[in-house]
Amino acid sequence: MIKTRFTETFGVRHPIAQGGMMWVGRAELVSAVANAGALGFLTALTQPTPDALAAEIERTRQMTDQPFGVNLTMLPSINPPPYAEYRQVIIDSGINVVETVGVDVQDHFDAFRAAGVRIIHKCTAVRHALKAERMGADAISIDGFECAGHPGEDDVPGLILIPAAANRLSIPILASGGFGDGRGLAAALALGADGINMGTRFCATEEAPLHPNFKQAMVDQDERATDLIFRTYRNSARVARNLVSQEVLRLEREGQPFETVAPLVKGLRGREGLENGDINHGIWTAGQVQGLIEDVPSVRVLIDRIVDSAEAVIRERLSAMLQD
């Protein structure tokens, strides 16, 4: 067993987290992650209302007695969700750890801390992580350029970003972006992280609530099969390459405004694809770790395999290189 500041702080057996993922972070996946000894996060905004989130939290508790958390992503929006109401549901439900995303989050941090809720804040730059630490975060998930979703605009890969963060931060760090096996976990620990945060790899598991076509696509595609869209709008997003992402890139090259591409990338369209199995129906997030995904195991098999492999790398491969 691998013990780190992350496992000790958050009361889990393994230094692995399943980050919040829109439409995917639901009870089936999160409870499986928790039962396997890692830390899973429900995605609050996947639920249409705060009351629905409360019900999903209760549904998860019926499936596991192990720790799990909730992701609350708070980004600028024309019509923002009622973040404070979702926050209060998290607190009232007795959740003791949240994964937060956003910039203007001090009020949320203060409320969570006052309620005794630990905070893991997702960042894509060291400067953002340092600010989150000053604001009261208990841990940081640092996302390298390889990650699915929004990698920021600095384009710094994990090999540099993780140790750069470890050099400056005093709180635990989760390495995120490009992780999917035991070699990655061992490497993250060597770089100064206290664990890994995986999204794409957990999507390709039996319990992930998305159509099997998407899981098989992640097995079939390699590390090159992603696109960075929205770069011209300064809101870069890494998604799986498909017909829609290629059309978005074409429109961006033409200099089209976001309003032109919005109908192609709206969230409900993506959700429809995840449910009906059409991988070209909308955009869907996936990281470069696709190149390391070769099967669709159960969550428990995946986590056990990652931990066993990491221990073997540390004990056998690395220690064997030491000379007296």
Side-chain angles (χ1 to χ4, degrees):
M1 185 173 294
I2 300 172
K3 182 172 72 172
T4 70
R5 291 188 300 171
F6 171 75
T7 61
E8 292 184 316
T9 299
F10 296 98
V12 293
R13 297 195 304 277
H14 303 308
I16 299 172
Q18 165 255 308
M21 296 175 283
M22 196 65 179
W23 313 129
V24 181
R26 292 188 271 174
E28 294 84 356
L29 177 60
V30 174
S31 61
V33 171
N35 287 331
L39 184 60
F41 288 93
L42 295 173
T43 307
L45 299 185
T46 290
Q47 304 303 319
T49 66
D51 286 344
L53 173 60
E56 190 71 358
I57 291 171
E58 180 57 32
R59 191 164 75 94
T60 308
R61 285 201 170 114
Q62 293 173 4
M63 302 166 73
T64 184
D65 60 358
Q66 298 300 304
F68 66 92
V70 176
N71 165 284
L72 184 58
T73 298
M74 298 161 285
L75 299 176
S77 173
I78 296 174
N79 297 301
Y83 294 129
E85 294 179 29
Y86 279 98
R87 180 187 73 206
Q88 195 59 47
V89 164
I90 294 169
I91 293 171
D92 292 344
S93 297
I95 293 294
N96 59 21
V97 55
V98 297
E99 179 188 57
T100 55
V101 182
V103 178
D104 186 17
V105 295
Q106 185 67 71
D107 289 347
H108 298 286
F109 273 33
D110 292 344
F112 283 132
R113 287 175 60 81
V117 180
R118 291 190 175 95
I119 302 164
I120 301 175
H121 193 64
K122 289 179 67 68
C123 303
T124 60
V126 175
R127 62 187 184 279
H128 300 154
L130 289 168
K131 180 180 179 180
E133 182 179 37
R134 291 193 298 269
M135 291 169 59
D138 297 281
I140 294 295
S141 176
I142 195 81
D143 281 17
F145 184 58
E146 307 91 335
C147 73
H150 296 282
E153 306 302 320
D154 294 340
D155 297 358
V156 180
L159 190 62
I160 302 301
L161 190 59
I162 298 162
N167 286 344
R168 303 283 302 279
L169 294 164
S170 61
I171 55 179
I173 299 168
L174 287 175
S176 183
F179 295 98
D181 62 18
R183 294 168 299 180
L185 174 54
L189 298 176
L191 291 171
D194 301 279
I196 57 174
N197 189 347
M198 304 192 306
T200 303
R201 188 61 187 94
F202 275 122
C203 287
T205 59
E206 294 174 358
E207 294 90 345
L210 68 163
H211 195 282
N213 288 358
F214 288 85
K215 301 176 186 184
Q216 188 60 46
M218 285 180 266
V219 172
D220 294 339
Q221 294 174 166
D222 65 19
E223 65 277 7
R224 300 168 298 172
T226 68
D227 283 326
L228 279 172
I229 61 175
F230 305 162
R231 299 232 86 180
T232 59
Y233 311 125
R234 300 291 295 173
N235 188 30
S236 298
R238 187 180 299 282
V239 299
R241 179 171 297 152
N242 67 1
L243 296 179
V244 177
S245 69
Q246 290 285 290
E247 177 65 8
V248 170
L249 290 178
R250 184 187 69 79
L251 293 170
E252 287 194 66
R253 286 193 296 269
E254 292 179 356
Q256 297 292 335
F258 182 74
E259 290 74 16
T260 302
V261 306
L264 297 173
V265 301
K266 62 182 181 180
L268 289 178
R269 177 171 175 163
R271 181 178 187 176
E272 290 169 358
L274 291 175
E275 293 175 350
N276 68 29
D278 183 354
I279 64 173
N280 289 299
H281 186 73
I283 59 168
W284 50 286
T285 58
Q288 292 179 315
V289 74
Q290 286 183 125
L292 302 179
I293 297 175
E294 298 179 346
D295 61 356
V296 182
S298 70
V299 164
R300 183 175 295 276
V301 166
L302 175 64
I303 289 175
D304 287 348
R305 187 165 68 195
I306 289 174
V307 172
D308 289 347
S309 174
E311 290 178 349
V313 168
I314 295 167
R315 288 174 177 163
E316 300 168 17
R317 179 173 171 79
L318 298 183
S319 63
M321 296 178 182
L322 296 175
Q323 299 293 320
D324 294 332

